[in-house]
Amino acid sequence: MNVVITGYFNDQSKQRVIQSFPEDWKIQIVEPQQIDEFIGEADVLIPEHIEVNESLLNKAHHLRFVQTGAGFDNVDIEACSNRKIWVSNAAGVNANAVAEHILALILNHYKNISYLDRFMKNREDETKLEYVGGELFGKTIGTIGFGAIGSRVAELAKAFNMKVLAYDTNKNIQSDDVELVDLDTLIKNSDVITINIFLDDSTRNLVDSTFLNNMKNNALLVNTARGPIVCEEDLIKALKDNVIGGACLDVFTEEPLSLDSELRKLGNVVLTPHTAGMPDGTKFHEKRYRFFVQNILRIQRNETPINNLNQV
């Protein structure tokens, strides 16, 4: 089995990833710009930072399976189906890791951890310390999306005695623990809004100037889902003008985030480099790769993969 993985990995990360697969499999980890050199012999593709489109698939002479992480907006599923290539995602596998990351970002914002850490390390005069913070107790958090991640965020938020609002396009979702509301109600009443939905045509630029202007002026926006769900230009303007209280971002319109991005210069933003689902710092999450291996084994046995997004 020839598995090609694209992305940016250091040597330690590559070693851990390769060791998670059976020894007799050929595992090739390549940077996105190198994909054309390797796709021709790949049986399985795990794509990050590339588009799996007609152009790429025309070069994939042996490809049987495309396995993504939680998101699959970079894969042309119809084109894969036409070539009898299975597509599956890993929705829910990283749910707890992402949910914990979301809570960590929220706590960092309200407790000013990043700011206070820099203050102490800069050896500034503690008697002149001034900042605005707060408690989560009694605040309202709204999750846009109430799947595996959104529901886990709700559980964690409840431990802090937060009120939870949830919006989801799936009207069959029911919950006794959160208040299911429409999107406008969630936007206007939440102290914290966390985005936990997939990127598609209906959610691209969902968070625009209108959305941001309807938020509370001290509210926090958290995005660990997909960068293009947020119109970055509108968000930067809103943050500069103090339209909202702040933002915590793990994903961006273009990744890696440009070194010149204005987001890096704003004091009311906390940034992490798309690591919410990989908590150990080496771009490796054991549960995620264990899922990948089991799904590839299903393909070897000519079985339908778990979380399949198409039919072959």
Side-chain angles (χ1 to χ4, degrees), residues 107-175:
L107 284 166
N108 183 80
H109 172 80
Y110 277 102
K111 302 304 178 184
N112 294 280
I113 302 301
S114 296
Y115 167 75
L116 294 172
D117 177 65
R118 288 194 303 271
F119 186 92
M120 296 296 289
K121 289 175 179 175
N122 288 338
R123 295 182 292 179
E124 298 185 42
D125 185 352
E126 294 176 41
T127 64
K128 298 179 180 179
L129 176 64
E130 292 185 12
Y131 67 96
V132 176
E135 297 180 341
L136 301 189
F137 187 97
K139 287 188 168 56
T140 298
I141 183 171
T143 173
I144 300 178
F146 198 61
I149 295 172
S151 58
R152 181 59 179 148
V153 168
E155 290 176 0
L156 296 175
K158 285 286 188 177
F160 289 90
N161 286 294
M162 299 183 78
K163 178 181 178 181
V164 182
L165 304 179
Y167 165 78
D168 200 287
T169 55
N170 181 358
K171 303 308 178 185
N172 294 322
I173 289 177
Q174 297 181 344
S175 175

Coordinates of all heavy atoms in Angstrom, one line a residue, residues 107-175:
L107 N -10.4 30.9 27.5 CA -9.8 31.2 28.8 C -8.6 32.1 28.7 O -8.4 33.1 29.5 CB -9.3 29.9 29.5 CG -10.5 29.1 30.1 CD1 -10.0 27.7 30.5 CD2 -11.1 29.8 31.3
N108 N -7.8 31.9 27.7 CA -6.6 32.8 27.4 C -7.1 34.2 27.2 O -6.5 35.2 27.7 CB -5.8 32.3 26.2 CG -4.6 33.1 26.0 OD1 -3.6 33.0 26.6 ND2 -4.7 34.1 25.0
H109 N -8.2 34.4 26.5 CA -8.7 35.7 26.2 C -9.2 36.4 27.5 O -8.9 37.5 27.8 CB -9.8 35.6 25.2 CG -10.6 36.9 25.0 ND1 -10.1 37.9 24.2 CD2 -11.8 37.4 25.5 CE1 -11.0 39.0 24.2 NE2 -12.0 38.6 25.0
Y110 N -10.1 35.7 28.2 CA -10.7 36.3 29.4 C -9.7 36.4 30.5 O -9.8 37.4 31.4 CB -11.9 35.5 29.8 CG -13.1 35.8 29.0 CD1 -13.6 35.0 28.0 CD2 -13.8 37.0 29.3 CE1 -14.7 35.4 27.3 CE2 -15.0 37.4 28.6 CZ -15.4 36.5 27.5 OH -16.5 36.9 26.8
K111 N -8.7 35.6 30.7 CA -7.8 35.7 31.8 C -6.5 36.4 31.3 O -5.6 36.5 32.1 CB -7.4 34.2 32.3 CG -8.6 33.5 32.8 CD -9.4 34.2 33.9 CE -10.6 33.5 34.3 NZ -11.4 34.2 35.3
N112 N -6.4 36.8 30.1 CA -5.3 37.6 29.6 C -3.9 36.8 29.8 O -2.9 37.5 30.1 CB -5.2 38.9 30.3 CG -6.3 39.8 29.9 OD1 -6.4 40.4 28.9 ND2 -7.3 39.8 30.8
I113 N -3.9 35.5 29.6 CA -2.7 34.7 29.9 C -1.5 35.2 29.0 O -0.4 35.4 29.5 CB -3.0 33.2 29.7 CG1 -4.2 32.8 30.6 CG2 -1.7 32.4 30.0 CD1 -3.9 33.0 32.1
S114 N -1.8 35.3 27.7 CA -0.7 35.7 26.8 C -0.1 37.1 27.2 O 1.1 37.2 27.3 CB -1.1 35.7 25.4 OG -1.5 34.4 24.9
Y115 N -1.0 38.0 27.5 CA -0.6 39.4 27.8 C 0.2 39.4 29.1 O 1.3 40.0 29.3 CB -1.8 40.3 27.9 CG -1.5 41.6 28.6 CD1 -0.8 42.6 27.9 CD2 -1.9 41.9 29.9 CE1 -0.5 43.8 28.5 CE2 -1.6 43.1 30.5 CZ -0.9 44.1 29.8 OH -0.7 45.3 30.4
L116 N -0.3 38.7 30.1 CA 0.3 38.7 31.5 C 1.7 37.9 31.4 O 2.6 38.3 32.1 CB -0.6 38.0 32.5 CG -1.9 38.8 32.8 CD1 -2.8 38.0 33.7 CD2 -1.6 40.2 33.4
D117 N 1.7 36.9 30.6 CA 3.0 36.2 30.5 C 4.1 37.1 29.9 O 5.2 37.2 30.4 CB 2.8 35.0 29.6 CG 4.1 34.2 29.3 OD1 4.6 33.7 30.3 OD2 4.5 34.2 28.2
R118 N 3.7 37.8 28.8 CA 4.7 38.8 28.2 C 5.0 39.9 29.2 O 6.2 40.3 29.3 CB 4.1 39.4 26.9 CG 4.0 38.5 25.8 CD 3.7 39.2 24.5 NE 2.5 40.0 24.6 CZ 1.3 39.5 24.2 NH1 1.1 38.3 23.8 NH2 0.2 40.3 24.3
F119 N 4.1 40.4 30.0 CA 4.3 41.4 30.9 C 5.3 41.0 32.0 O 6.3 41.7 32.3 CB 3.0 41.8 31.6 CG 3.0 42.9 32.6 CD1 2.8 44.2 32.1 CD2 3.4 42.8 33.9 CE1 2.8 45.3 33.0 CE2 3.5 43.8 34.8 CZ 3.2 45.1 34.3
M120 N 5.2 39.8 32.5 CA 6.1 39.3 33.5 C 7.5 39.0 32.9 O 8.5 39.4 33.6 CB 5.6 38.0 34.1 CG 4.2 38.1 34.9 SD 4.4 39.2 36.3 CE 5.3 38.1 37.4
K121 N 7.5 38.5 31.8 CA 8.8 38.2 31.2 C 9.6 39.4 30.7 O 10.8 39.4 30.6 CB 8.7 37.2 30.0 CG 8.3 35.8 30.5 CD 8.0 34.8 29.4 CE 7.7 33.4 29.9 NZ 7.3 32.5 28.8
N122 N 8.8 40.5 30.5 CA 9.5 41.8 30.1 C 9.9 42.5 31.3 O 10.4 43.7 31.2 CB 8.5 42.6 29.3 CG 8.3 42.1 27.9 OD1 9.1 41.4 27.4 ND2 7.2 42.5 27.3
R123 N 9.7 42.0 32.5 CA 10.1 42.5 33.8 C 9.5 44.0 34.0 O 10.2 44.9 34.4 CB 11.6 42.5 33.9 CG 12.2 41.1 34.0 CD 13.7 41.1 34.1 NE 14.4 41.6 33.0 CZ 15.7 41.8 32.8 NH1 16.5 41.4 33.8 NH2 16.2 42.2 31.7
E124 N 8.3 44.1 33.6 CA 7.6 45.4 33.8 C 7.1 45.6 35.2 O 7.0 44.6 36.0 CB 6.5 45.5 32.8 CG 7.0 45.5 31.3 CD 5.8 45.8 30.4 OE1 5.0 46.7 30.6 OE2 5.8 45.1 29.3
D125 N 6.8 46.8 35.6 CA 6.4 47.1 37.0 C 5.0 46.6 37.2 O 4.0 47.1 36.7 CB 6.5 48.6 37.2 CG 6.2 49.1 38.6 OD1 5.8 48.2 39.4 OD2 6.4 50.3 38.9
E126 N 4.9 45.6 38.1 CA 3.6 45.0 38.4 C 2.6 46.0 39.0 O 1.4 45.8 38.9 CB 3.8 43.8 39.3 CG 4.5 42.6 38.6 CD 4.7 41.5 39.5 OE1 3.8 41.1 40.2 OE2 5.8 40.9 39.4
T127 N 3.1 47.0 39.7 CA 2.2 48.0 40.4 C 1.5 48.9 39.3 O 0.5 49.5 39.7 CB 3.0 48.9 41.3 OG1 3.9 49.7 40.6 CG2 3.7 48.0 42.4
K128 N 1.9 48.8 38.1 CA 1.3 49.7 37.0 C 0.5 48.8 36.0 O 0.2 49.3 35.0 CB 2.4 50.5 36.3 CG 3.2 51.4 37.2 CD 4.2 52.2 36.5 CE 5.0 53.2 37.4 NZ 6.0 53.9 36.7
L129 N 0.3 47.6 36.4 CA -0.4 46.7 35.5 C -1.9 47.1 35.4 O -2.6 47.3 36.4 CB -0.3 45.3 36.1 CG -1.1 44.2 35.3 CD1 -0.5 44.0 33.9 CD2 -1.0 42.8 36.1
E130 N -2.3 47.2 34.1 CA -3.7 47.5 33.8 C -4.2 46.6 32.7 O -3.6 46.5 31.7 CB -3.9 49.0 33.4 CG -3.6 50.0 34.5 CD -3.9 51.4 34.0 OE1 -4.5 51.6 33.0 OE2 -3.5 52.4 34.8
Y131 N -5.4 46.0 32.9 CA -6.0 45.2 31.9 C -7.4 44.9 32.2 O -7.8 45.1 33.4 CB -5.2 43.9 31.7 CG -5.3 42.9 32.8 CD1 -6.2 41.9 32.8 CD2 -4.4 43.0 33.9 CE1 -6.3 41.0 33.9 CE2 -4.5 42.1 35.0 CZ -5.4 41.1 35.0 OH -5.5 40.2 36.0
V132 N -8.2 44.5 31.2 CA -9.6 44.1 31.4 C -9.7 42.6 31.2 O -9.3 42.1 30.2 CB -10.5 44.9 30.4 CG1 -11.9 44.5 30.5 CG2 -10.3 46.4 30.6
G133 N -10.3 42.0 32.1 CA -10.5 40.5 32.0 C -11.9 40.2 32.5 O -12.8 41.0 32.6
G134 N -12.1 38.9 32.8 CA -13.4 38.5 33.2 C -13.5 37.0 33.5 O -12.5 36.3 33.3
E135 N -14.7 36.6 34.0 CA -14.9 35.2 34.2 C -15.9 34.6 33.2 O -16.6 35.3 32.6 CB -15.6 35.0 35.6 CG -14.7 35.5 36.8 CD -15.4 35.3 38.1 OE1 -16.6 35.1 38.1 OE2 -14.7 35.3 39.1
L136 N -15.8 33.3 33.0 CA -16.7 32.6 32.1 C -18.1 32.4 32.8 O -19.1 32.3 32.1 CB -16.1 31.3 31.6 CG -14.8 31.3 30.9 CD1 -14.5 30.0 30.3 CD2 -14.8 32.4 29.8
F137 N -18.1 32.3 34.1 CA -19.3 32.1 34.8 C -20.4 33.0 34.4 O -20.3 34.2 34.5 CB -19.0 32.2 36.3 CG -20.2 31.8 37.2 CD1 -20.2 30.6 37.8 CD2 -21.2 32.7 37.5 CE1 -21.2 30.2 38.6 CE2 -22.3 32.3 38.3 CZ -22.3 31.1 38.9
G138 N -21.5 32.5 34.0 CA -22.7 33.2 33.7 C -22.7 33.8 32.3 O -23.7 34.4 31.8
K139 N -21.6 33.7 31.5 CA -21.6 34.2 30.2 C -22.3 33.2 29.2 O -22.5 32.1 29.5 CB -20.2 34.5 29.7 CG -19.6 35.7 30.4 CD -18.2 36.1 29.8 CE -17.8 37.5 30.3 NZ -17.7 37.6 31.8
T140 N -22.6 33.8 28.0 CA -23.3 33.0 27.0 C -22.4 32.6 25.9 O -21.7 33.5 25.3 CB -24.5 33.7 26.5 OG1 -25.5 33.9 27.5 CG2 -25.2 32.9 25.4
I141 N -22.2 31.4 25.6 CA -21.4 30.9 24.5 C -22.3 30.4 23.4 O -23.3 29.6 23.7 CB -20.4 29.9 24.9 CG1 -19.5 29.5 23.7 CG2 -21.0 28.6 25.5 CD1 -18.3 28.6 24.1
G142 N -22.1 30.8 22.2 CA -22.9 30.2 21.0 C -22.1 29.4 20.1 O -21.0 29.9 19.7
T143 N -22.5 28.2 19.8 CA -21.7 27.4 18.9 C -22.5 27.3 17.6 O -23.7 26.9 17.5 CB -21.4 26.0 19.4 OG1 -20.9 25.2 18.4 CG2 -22.7 25.3 20.0
I144 N -21.8 27.7 16.5 CA -22.4 27.6 15.2 C -22.0 26.2 14.6 O -20.8 26.0 14.2 CB -21.9 28.7 14.2 CG1 -22.4 30.1 14.8 CG2 -22.5 28.5 12.8 CD1 -21.9 31.3 14.0
G145 N -22.9 25.3 14.7 CA -22.6 23.9 14.4 C -22.7 23.1 15.7 O -22.1 23.5 16.7
F146 N -23.5 22.1 15.7 CA -23.7 21.3 17.0 C -23.4 19.8 16.7 O -24.2 19.0 17.1 CB -25.1 21.5 17.5 CG -25.2 21.2 18.9 CD1 -24.5 21.8 19.9 CD2 -26.1 20.2 19.3 CE1 -24.6 21.4 21.3 CE2 -26.3 19.8 20.7 CZ -25.5 20.4 21.6
G147 N -22.3 19.5 16.0 CA -21.9 18.2 15.8 C -21.0 17.7 16.9 O -21.2 18.1 18.0
A148 N -20.0 16.9 16.5 CA -19.1 16.3 17.5 C -18.4 17.4 18.3 O -18.3 17.3 19.5 CB -18.2 15.3 16.8
I149 N -17.8 18.4 17.6 CA -17.1 19.4 18.3 C -18.0 20.4 19.0 O -17.8 20.7 20.2 CB -16.2 20.2 17.2 CG1 -15.2 19.3 16.6 CG2 -15.5 21.4 17.9 CD1 -14.4 19.9 15.5
G150 N -19.0 20.8 18.4 CA -19.9 21.8 19.0 C -20.5 21.2 20.3 O -20.7 21.9 21.3
S151 N -21.0 20.0 20.2 CA -21.6 19.4 21.4 C -20.6 19.2 22.5 O -20.9 19.3 23.7 CB -22.3 18.1 21.0 OG -21.3 17.2 20.5
R152 N -19.3 18.9 22.2 CA -18.3 18.7 23.2 C -17.9 20.1 23.8 O -17.7 20.2 25.0 CB -17.0 18.1 22.6 CG -15.9 17.8 23.6 CD -16.3 17.0 24.7 NE -15.2 16.7 25.7 CZ -15.4 16.6 27.0 NH1 -16.6 16.6 27.5 NH2 -14.3 16.4 27.8
V153 N -17.9 21.1 23.0 CA -17.7 22.5 23.5 C -18.8 22.8 24.5 O -18.5 23.4 25.6 CB -17.6 23.5 22.4 CG1 -17.7 24.9 22.9 CG2 -16.4 23.4 21.5
A154 N -20.0 22.5 24.2 CA -21.1 22.7 25.1 C -20.9 22.0 26.4 O -21.2 22.6 27.5 CB -22.4 22.3 24.4
E155 N -20.5 20.8 26.4 CA -20.3 20.1 27.7 C -19.2 20.8 28.5 O -19.4 20.9 29.7 CB -19.8 18.6 27.3 CG -20.9 17.7 26.7 CD -20.3 16.4 26.4 OE1 -19.1 16.1 26.6 OE2 -21.1 15.5 25.8
L156 N -18.1 21.2 27.9 CA -17.0 21.8 28.6 C -17.5 23.2 29.1 O -17.2 23.6 30.3 CB -15.8 22.0 27.7 CG -15.1 20.7 27.2 CD1 -14.0 21.0 26.3 CD2 -14.6 19.9 28.4
A157 N -18.2 23.9 28.3 CA -18.7 25.2 28.7 C -19.7 25.1 29.9 O -19.7 26.0 30.8 CB -19.4 25.9 27.6
K158 N -20.5 24.1 30.0 CA -21.4 23.9 31.1 C -20.6 23.7 32.4 O -21.1 24.1 33.5 CB -22.2 22.6 30.8 CG -23.3 22.8 29.8 CD -24.5 23.6 30.4 CE -25.7 23.7 29.4 NZ -26.8 24.4 30.0
A159 N -19.4 23.1 32.4 CA -18.6 23.0 33.6 C -18.2 24.3 34.1 O -17.9 24.4 35.3 CB -17.4 22.2 33.3
F160 N -18.2 25.4 33.3 CA -17.9 26.7 33.8 C -19.2 27.5 34.1 O -19.1 28.8 34.2 CB -17.1 27.5 32.7 CG -15.7 27.0 32.6 CD1 -15.4 25.9 31.7 CD2 -14.6 27.5 33.3 CE1 -14.1 25.5 31.6 CE2 -13.3 27.0 33.2 CZ -13.1 26.0 32.3
N161 N -20.3 26.9 34.1 CA -21.6 27.5 34.3 C -21.9 28.6 33.3 O -22.4 29.6 33.6 CB -21.7 28.1 35.7 CG -21.8 27.0 36.8 OD1 -22.8 26.3 36.9 ND2 -20.8 26.9 37.6
M162 N -21.6 28.3 32.0 CA -22.0 29.1 30.9 C -23.3 28.7 30.4 O -23.6 27.5 30.4 CB -20.9 29.1 29.8 CG -19.5 29.5 30.2 SD -18.3 29.5 28.8 CE -18.8 31.1 28.0
K163 N -24.0 29.7 29.8 CA -25.3 29.4 29.1 C -24.8 29.0 27.7 O -24.0 29.7 27.1 CB -26.2 30.5 29.1 CG -27.5 30.3 28.3 CD -28.4 31.5 28.4 CE -29.7 31.3 27.5 NZ -30.6 32.4 27.5
V164 N -25.4 28.0 27.1 CA -25.0 27.6 25.8 C -26.2 27.7 24.8 O -27.3 27.2 25.0 CB -24.5 26.1 25.7 CG1 -24.1 25.7 24.3 CG2 -23.4 25.9 26.7
L165 N -25.9 28.5 23.7 CA -26.8 28.5 22.5 C -26.2 27.8 21.4 O -25.0 27.7 21.3 CB -27.0 30.0 22.1 CG -27.5 31.0 23.1 CD1 -27.6 32.4 22.5 CD2 -28.8 30.5 23.7
A166 N -27.0 27.1 20.6 CA -26.5 26.4 19.5 C -27.3 26.6 18.2 O -28.6 26.6 18.3 CB -26.4 24.9 19.8
Y167 N -26.7 26.7 17.1 CA -27.3 26.8 15.8 C -26.8 25.7 14.9 O -25.5 25.5 14.8 CB -27.1 28.2 15.2 CG -27.5 28.2 13.7 CD1 -28.8 28.2 13.3 CD2 -26.5 28.1 12.7 CE1 -29.2 28.2 11.9 CE2 -26.8 28.1 11.3 CZ -28.2 28.1 11.0 OH -28.5 28.1 9.6
D168 N -27.6 25.0 14.2 CA -27.2 24.0 13.3 C -28.2 23.9 12.1 O -29.4 24.1 12.4 CB -27.0 22.6 13.9 CG -26.1 21.7 13.1 OD1 -26.6 21.2 12.1 OD2 -25.0 21.4 13.6
T169 N -27.7 23.7 10.9 CA -28.6 23.6 9.8 C -29.4 22.3 9.8 O -30.5 22.2 9.2 CB -27.8 23.6 8.5 OG1 -26.8 22.6 8.5 CG2 -27.2 25.0 8.3
N170 N -29.0 21.3 10.6 CA -29.7 20.0 10.8 C -30.8 20.3 11.8 O -30.6 20.3 13.0 CB -28.7 18.9 11.2 CG -29.4 17.6 11.4 OD1 -30.7 17.5 11.2 ND2 -28.7 16.6 11.8
K171 N -32.0 20.4 11.3 CA -33.1 20.7 12.2 C -33.6 19.5 13.0 O -34.5 19.6 13.9 CB -34.3 21.2 11.4 CG -34.0 22.4 10.5 CD -33.3 23.6 11.4 CE -32.9 24.8 10.5 NZ -32.2 25.8 11.3
N172 N -33.0 18.3 12.8 CA -33.4 17.1 13.5 C -32.6 17.0 14.8 O -32.9 16.1 15.7 CB -33.2 15.9 12.7 CG -34.1 15.8 11.5 OD1 -35.3 16.2 11.6 ND2 -33.6 15.3 10.3
I173 N -31.6 17.9 15.0 CA -30.8 17.8 16.2 C -31.7 18.3 17.4 O -32.4 19.3 17.3 CB -29.6 18.7 16.1 CG1 -28.6 18.1 15.1 CG2 -28.9 19.0 17.4 CD1 -27.4 18.9 14.9
Q174 N -31.6 17.5 18.5 CA -32.3 17.9 19.7 C -31.3 17.8 20.9 O -30.4 17.1 20.9 CB -33.4 16.9 20.0 CG -34.5 16.9 18.9 CD -35.7 16.0 19.2 OE1 -35.5 15.1 20.0 NE2 -36.8 16.1 18.5
S175 N -31.6 18.6 21.9 CA -30.7 18.6 23.1 C -31.5 19.2 24.3 O -32.2 20.2 24.1 CB -29.5 19.5 22.8 OG -28.7 19.6 24.0

